């Protein structure tokens, strides 16, 4: 038997209903904040991610589904959505036109990670990206938007916040950090590699011995430039004004290299070790790095599978019609009547097996239909459908068209 690939799974009932419900809700909330739908290809040039997400990140260094296509091109399945949206933004020349652009997207992402609970090789994200404003109000609004989506599903979470500075402060800080890290000789092999490629990533190490060793190492918040310091306190002030509670976490460095200034994650207490339900931040240098005109930007992505684990849908109400025939001679007429009902906007599921009234009522109940409509010899003679309302148990007849 052929099975789905390791770390990839089907979205079947009842998860399918939660999945579409989540997307509808999240899209509606994003539109309320001025975001428009965007769709970009799942395959892109590998170079896009090497340059955008960063060669030194685990995502690009270890986890990409990378291959050569039949034309000899180096391409990759997208590990995340931001780089593709940035590529599209520049290709459409929005950076040259100027102004503010806000996009939302959803779709599958691919990372060749070790699968475990909440961590898949194909998973789905819902993301928002805003281009063209460096205002702190946009940072506050995008966090409010993300929070509104999570709150609409009554989720419990902690919002973790940090600032990752700008080239003016992060570049000298990284040199200081690198020197400090060279003084520690018991770091794990991953941290030793990070020390030389992107030292701030050491703070993300899950190894408790490394965390202990890093306790005394200076954090970026002690080395911020004046602009980054005041931008961060402006954001905290706007969040306070909005009654949004947060935890400042100087260890929050994110796993992608493009971030500047604001970085945030929403962490759930109800999941296992894979507890990040959403993450994002500013990436003011990325458009320029990808060859566009300098354009400030900020965004986030939600991991949909992790949300599906946490939400329960209200009991589905009965809906639509079930159409059943008592004998084969009524089947064609039933088929025509079902079509007419659908043309009126109703959901109709027709049974193709003639059977007793009792058997039809049982099936209609099983599929949670509101109405069970029956056609037999007598009904055809009277040109009327017999209908039972399964909600309030009332029976009636209805003229056929
Ligand atoms: P990220 O933190 O890598 O950010 O991913 C966002 C969310 O996707 C995570 O918080 C998590 O819920 C989910 N996720 C990540 N990897 C997996 C996996 N292997 N299995 C299941 N869920 C997963 C980004 O991708 C950035 N592009 C976010 C962003 C947008 N930043 C700015 N704009």
């Amino acid at each position: 038997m052929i099975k789905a690939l390791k770390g990839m799974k089907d979205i079947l009932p009842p998860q399918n209903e939660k999945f579409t419900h989540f997307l509808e809700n999240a899209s509606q909330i994003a539109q309320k904040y001025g975001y428009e739908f965007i769709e970009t290809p799942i395959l892109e040039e590998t170079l896009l991610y090497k340059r955008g997400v960063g060669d030194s990140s685990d995502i690009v260094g270890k986890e990409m589904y990378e291959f050569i296509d039949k034309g000899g091109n180096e391409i990759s399945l997208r590990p995340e959505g931001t780089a593709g949206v940035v590529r599209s933004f520049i290709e459409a020349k929005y950076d040259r036109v100027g102004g503010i652009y806000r996009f939302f997207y959803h779709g599958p992402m691919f990372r060749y990670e070790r699968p475990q609970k909440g961590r898949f090789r194909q998973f789905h994200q819902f993301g928002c990206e805003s281009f063209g404003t460096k205002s702190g109000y946009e940072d506050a609004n995008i966090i409010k938007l993300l929070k509104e989506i999570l709150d609409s599903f009554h989720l419990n979470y902690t919002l973790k916040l940090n600032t990752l500075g700008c080239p003016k402060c992060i570049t000298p800080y990284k040199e200081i950090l690198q020197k400090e890290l060279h003084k520690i000789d018991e770091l794990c092999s991953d941290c030793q590699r990070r020390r030389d490629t992107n030292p701030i990533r050491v703070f993300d190490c899950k190894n408790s011995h490394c965390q202990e060793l890093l306790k005394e190492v200076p954090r970026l918040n002690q080395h911020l430039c004046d602009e980054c310091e005041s931008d961060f306190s402006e954001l905290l002030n706007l969040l306070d004004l909005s009654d949004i509670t947060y935890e400042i976490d100087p260890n929050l460095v994110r796993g992608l290299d493009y971030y500047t200034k604001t970085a945030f994650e929403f962490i759930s207490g109800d999941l296992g070790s894979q507890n990040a339900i959403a993450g994002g931040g500013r990436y003011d240098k990325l458009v320029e790095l990808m060859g566009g005109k300098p354009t400030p930007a900020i965004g986030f992505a939600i991991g949909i599978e992790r949300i599906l684990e946490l939400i329960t849908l209200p009991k589905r109400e009965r809906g639509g019609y079930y159409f059943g025939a008592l004998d084969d001679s009524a089947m064609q007429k039933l088929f025509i009547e079902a079509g007419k009902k659908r043309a009126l906007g109703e959901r109709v599921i027709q049974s193709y097996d003639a059977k007793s009234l009792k058997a039809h009522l049982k099936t209609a109940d099983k599929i949670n239909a509101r109405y069970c409509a029956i056609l037999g010899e007598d009904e055809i003679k009277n040109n009327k459908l017999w209908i039972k309302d399964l909600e309030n148990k009332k029976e009636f007849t209805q003229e056929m068209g």
Side-chain angles (χ1 to χ4, degrees):
M1 196 183 112
I2 299 172
K3 290 190 170 168
L5 295 174
K6 198 173 161 195
M8 306 205 175
K9 59 171 200 165
D10 306 304
I11 296 172
L12 300 168
Q15 297 296 77
N16 60 346
E17 209 186 317
K18 289 191 196 174
F19 192 86
T20 49
H21 179 65
F22 171 80
L23 286 181
E24 276 166 24
N25 221 33
S27 309
Q28 239 175 40
I29 295 172
Q31 280 163 347
K32 241 173 45 176
Y33 284 76
Y35 286 76
E36 288 179 73
F37 180 64
I38 188 174
E39 177 78 41
T40 63
I42 290 171
L43 285 171
E44 296 271 6
E45 259 188 64
T46 298
L47 187 61
L48 174 74
Y49 302 112
K50 288 201 166 160
R51 214 192 280 167
V53 178
D55 261 335
S56 76
S57 67
D58 283 356
I59 295 176
V60 172
K62 300 186 191 168
E63 297 165 2
M64 283 237 287
Y65 278 88
E66 228 181 300
F67 57 98
I68 311 278
D69 73 5
K70 289 185 174 143
N73 308 296
E74 286 181 27
I75 57 175
S76 290
L77 284 169
R78 63 179 179 200
E80 59 101 53
T82 312
V85 175
V86 169
R87 196 258 322 125
S88 166
F89 176 82
I90 300 169
E91 209 172 325
K93 299 194 171 54
Y94 293 138
D95 57 327
R96 316 237 143 230
V97 179
I100 297 176
Y101 298 83
R102 298 185 178 95
F103 299 110
F104 75 88
Y105 55 89
H106 45 80
M109 308 292 158
F110 303 83
R111 296 183 191 175
Y112 197 85
E113 295 191 79
R114 194 172 48 77
Q116 65 179 85
K117 190 173 179 294
R119 186 161 75 189
F120 308 101
R121 289 182 173 168
Q122 177 176 337
F123 59 98
H124 296 78
Q125 284 185 345
F126 176 92
C128 284
E129 313 291 350
S130 155
F131 296 93
T133 173
K134 58 186 180 64
S135 166
Y137 285 101
E138 190 69 352
D139 300 45
N141 261 333
I142 207 160
I143 291 173
K144 276 176 90 160
L145 153 56
L146 171 51
K147 183 180 178 307
E148 193 171 328
I149 295 176
L150 303 180
D151 286 347
S152 72
F153 296 104
H154 314 288
L155 302 180
N156 294 315
Y157 52 74
T158 307
L159 163 59
K160 296 204 168 187
L161 267 186
N162 194 16
T163 173
L164 296 174
C166 67
K168 217 165 110 191
C169 46
I170 191 98
T171 315
Y173 167 71
K174 278 185 182 171
E175 280 174 24
I176 296 170
L177 178 61
Q178 225 156 21
K179 272 191 203 137
E180 288 298 315
L181 294 177
H182 273 287
K183 291 182 196 157
I184 309 172
D185 40 34
E186 286 167 61
L187 288 172
C188 73
S189 57
D190 270 344
C191 280
Q192 287 179 29
R193 181 178 50 80
R194 289 172 185 139
R195 178 178 61 198
D196 301 319
T197 52
N198 187 4
I200 61 163
R201 296 276 309 133
V202 297
F203 297 123
D204 202 25
C205 184
K206 303 287 176 278
N207 182 320
S208 53
H209 186 55
C210 286
Q211 284 306 332
E212 197 55 39
L213 294 169
L214 293 168
K215 266 195 176 147
E216 300 305 318
V217 171
R219 298 301 196 266
L220 174 64
N221 55 6
Q222 297 148 10
H223 294 264
L224 287 175
C225 66
D226 291 347
E227 187 190 295
C228 287
E229 180 112 42
S230 96
D231 285 353
F232 195 48
S233 42
E234 186 198 357
L235 172 62
L236 301 186
N237 182 36
L238 292 174
L239 295 179
D240 291 340
L241 280 175
S242 317
D243 285 328
I244 295 179
T245 43
Y246 51 82
E247 229 174 66
I248 297 174
D249 181 358
N251 283 344
L252 177 70
V253 288
R254 308 279 297 128
L256 308 99
D257 289 352
Y258 47 63
Y259 292 108
T260 48
K261 302 199 183 219
T262 308
F264 53 85
E265 268 178 14
F266 282 76
I267 307 293
S268 163
D270 303 325
L271 293 169
S273 63
Q274 300 304 308
N275 56 4
I277 42 181
R282 259 202 181 273
Y283 50 93
D284 288 346
K285 299 289 164 199
L286 187 57
V287 175
E288 195 180 350
L289 181 75
M290 305 300 285
K293 271 181 86 170
T295 308
I298 182 165
F300 70 78
I302 302 177
I304 301 181
E305 278 77 3
R306 294 188 188 169
I307 300 282
L308 300 189
E309 276 290 302
L310 298 168
I311 58 180
T312 40
L313 287 182
K315 194 176 170 290
R316 195 152 58 98
E317 283 178 16
R318 287 186 179 281
Y321 282 79
Y322 168 89
F323 268 43
L326 297 180
D327 36 64
D328 282 328
S329 60
M331 200 59 81
Q332 261 192 27
K333 179 80 179 149
L334 190 74
F335 171 72
I336 302 293
E337 285 305 308
K340 286 183 191 162
K341 254 300 177 255
R342 285 192 200 102
L344 295 174
E346 298 287 354
R347 175 162 63 95
V348 181
I349 294 167
Q350 183 192 348
S351 161
Y352 306 133
D353 296 320
K355 50 191 178 188
S356 71
L357 172 63
K358 197 173 157 202
H360 279 312
L361 284 168
K362 204 169 152 191
T363 320
D365 182 50
K366 200 168 145 200
I367 66 162
N368 215 22
R370 168 83 194 255
Y371 301 102
C372 176
I374 299 294
L375 202 63
E377 248 176 69
D378 289 350
E379 286 75 23
I380 291 182
K381 238 185 264 158
N382 300 329
N383 199 41
K384 278 180 179 164
L385 272 171
W386 179 90
I387 300 175
K388 180 164 184 181
D389 182 336
L390 300 173
E391 184 74 40
N392 53 31
K393 316 279 180 233
K394 286 199 177 114
E395 295 165 19
F396 57 97
T397 58
Q398 200 172 70
E399 201 81 36
M400 289 194 276

